[in-house]
Amino acid sequence: MGLLDRHLEIKTPEQIGLMRRAGLLVGETLDLLGAAAKAGVTTGELDALAEDNIRSHGGVPSFLNYGHPPFPGTICASVNDEVVHGIPGSRVLVDGDVISIDCGAIVDGWHGDAAITVAIGDVAPEVTELMRVTEEALWAGMAAARLSGRVSDISRAVETTVRSQGDYGILEDYVGHGIGTEMHMAPNVPNVAHRGERGPKLVPGLALAVEPMVTLGSSETDVLDDDWTVVTADGSLAAHFEHTFTVTPDGAWVLTALDGGEERLTALGVPFGGR
Ligand code: MG
Ligand code: MG
């Protein structure tokens, strides 16, 4: 692969094709988990399902043993006021919960990373709305990406989409990221636009994970004693949606979406760049 500069990993079209395989495995795994997440199921059971599906399709869970202390799961399972990095275990999901499931896999050395938030049974209308707004912001961010545009175009679209629809908190301490031969690479992809910070130029072969984390209250967070679980400081509920995507000369391609993002991108008037 060529390196545009020291910081950004630029993939060839063939390498992006390999990333699509990892992305599809992540997308398929999240599809399974979304259907399996029901009242009475533990987050640990969801984790086992994810690990089985990834390994049985030739992938490796990328979260497992990541970081310090080593993350002990295949998925992050973040329930209610947990925003991201929740550790799966014996917690039983109950009606009215909202769970964010983040999943990553490596296939032949290439990474995919995506997240969904799922309502368990009946949740309050404002929670359904929070989920809708967060997912819409993710797609607006990806739809704003143009070759020769900037990473800040994505950030601005995410922020504007959220802020235009209510008094939500948008996490700033946690951001999206470049992705490829590692899960977390340059550049950062913030969910808010900062004046004067345009970020790197968007070029073919750059792959990014966009992941708005939005709350019904404050954007301030704390980390629990397990050194991983990020919770809202005010106890408000949170949602998190993420996709890995790239922009080809033909348009955007959402590598972790089952249809490559074609349906939603088309609805947003954005050319589909997948194949
Ligand atoms: Mg993720
Ligand atoms: Mg990520």
Side-chain angles (χ1 to χ4, degrees), residues 1-272:
M1 87 199 51
L3 289 178
L4 185 68
D5 62 27
R6 285 198 303 278
H7 306 293
L8 301 183
E9 183 182 82
I10 304 302
K11 272 70 82 173
T12 66
E14 291 70 29
Q15 290 169 331
I16 293 291
L18 295 174
M19 286 190 70
R20 171 60 168 160
R21 294 176 55 212
L24 262 182
L25 181 53
V26 169
E28 288 161 0
T29 303
L30 282 174
D31 206 38
L32 275 178
L33 298 180
K38 294 190 182 326
V41 172
T42 69
T43 56
E45 287 166 345
L46 295 178
D47 188 68
L49 192 60
E51 182 168 6
D52 283 353
N53 193 61
I54 290 171
R55 292 198 191 280
S56 68
H57 290 86
V60 176
S62 50
F63 296 1
L64 192 60
N65 296 317
Y66 181 90
H68 305 282
F71 188 80
T74 289
I75 61 169
C76 296
S78 307
V79 182
N80 295 337
D81 64 324
E82 299 170 355
V83 192
V84 287
H85 304 169
I87 295 175
S90 58
R91 183 170 186 160
V92 180
L93 297 173
V94 300
D95 192 58
D97 279 345
V98 62
I99 179 174
S100 295
I101 305 171
D102 198 340
C103 183
I106 310 165
V107 176
D108 291 337
W110 296 95
H111 285 253
D113 183 12
I116 56 173
T117 299
V118 181
I120 306 301
D122 293 322
V123 298
E126 64 263 31
V127 178
T128 305
E129 187 65 2
L130 168 72
M131 291 168 55
R132 188 192 65 73
V133 167
T134 307
E135 189 173 18
E136 186 182 318
L138 163 61
W139 284 93
M142 295 189 293
R146 294 284 184 282
L147 293 182
S148 80
R150 297 278 178 169
V151 166
S152 56
D153 300 339
I154 300 170
S155 307
R156 189 173 306 103
V158 169
E159 179 178 16
T160 303
T161 301
V162 174
R163 300 227 190 276
S164 67
Q165 297 187 69
D167 191 16
Y168 296 103
I170 305 174
L171 266 64
E172 296 189 41
D173 294 340
Y174 300 86
V175 296
H177 48 91
I179 180 169
T181 54
E182 293 175 46
M183 177 163 58
H184 293 131
M185 311 184 82
N188 283 341
V189 184
N191 293 308
V192 297
H194 298 286
R195 272 176 76 92
E197 291 179 23
R198 300 180 67 204
K201 197 180 259 193
L202 300 172
V203 296
L206 186 63
L208 301 173
V210 181
E211 48 179 317
M213 292 151 260
V214 183
T215 83
L216 285 176
S218 164
S219 62
E220 300 304 310
T221 56
D222 296 313
V223 178
L224 298 185
D225 287 341
D226 62 23
D227 284 335
W228 277 108
T229 311
V230 176
V231 298
T232 56
D234 61 2
S236 60
L237 302 188
H240 176 214
F241 284 87
E242 177 180 22
H243 272 304
T244 296
F245 91 112
T246 192
V247 187
T248 76
D250 297 327
W253 188 9
V254 184
L255 301 173
T256 45
L258 297 184
D259 73 342
E262 184 168 14
E263 185 179 334
R264 285 196 77 147
L265 292 169
T266 302
L268 290 165
V270 174
F272 174 58

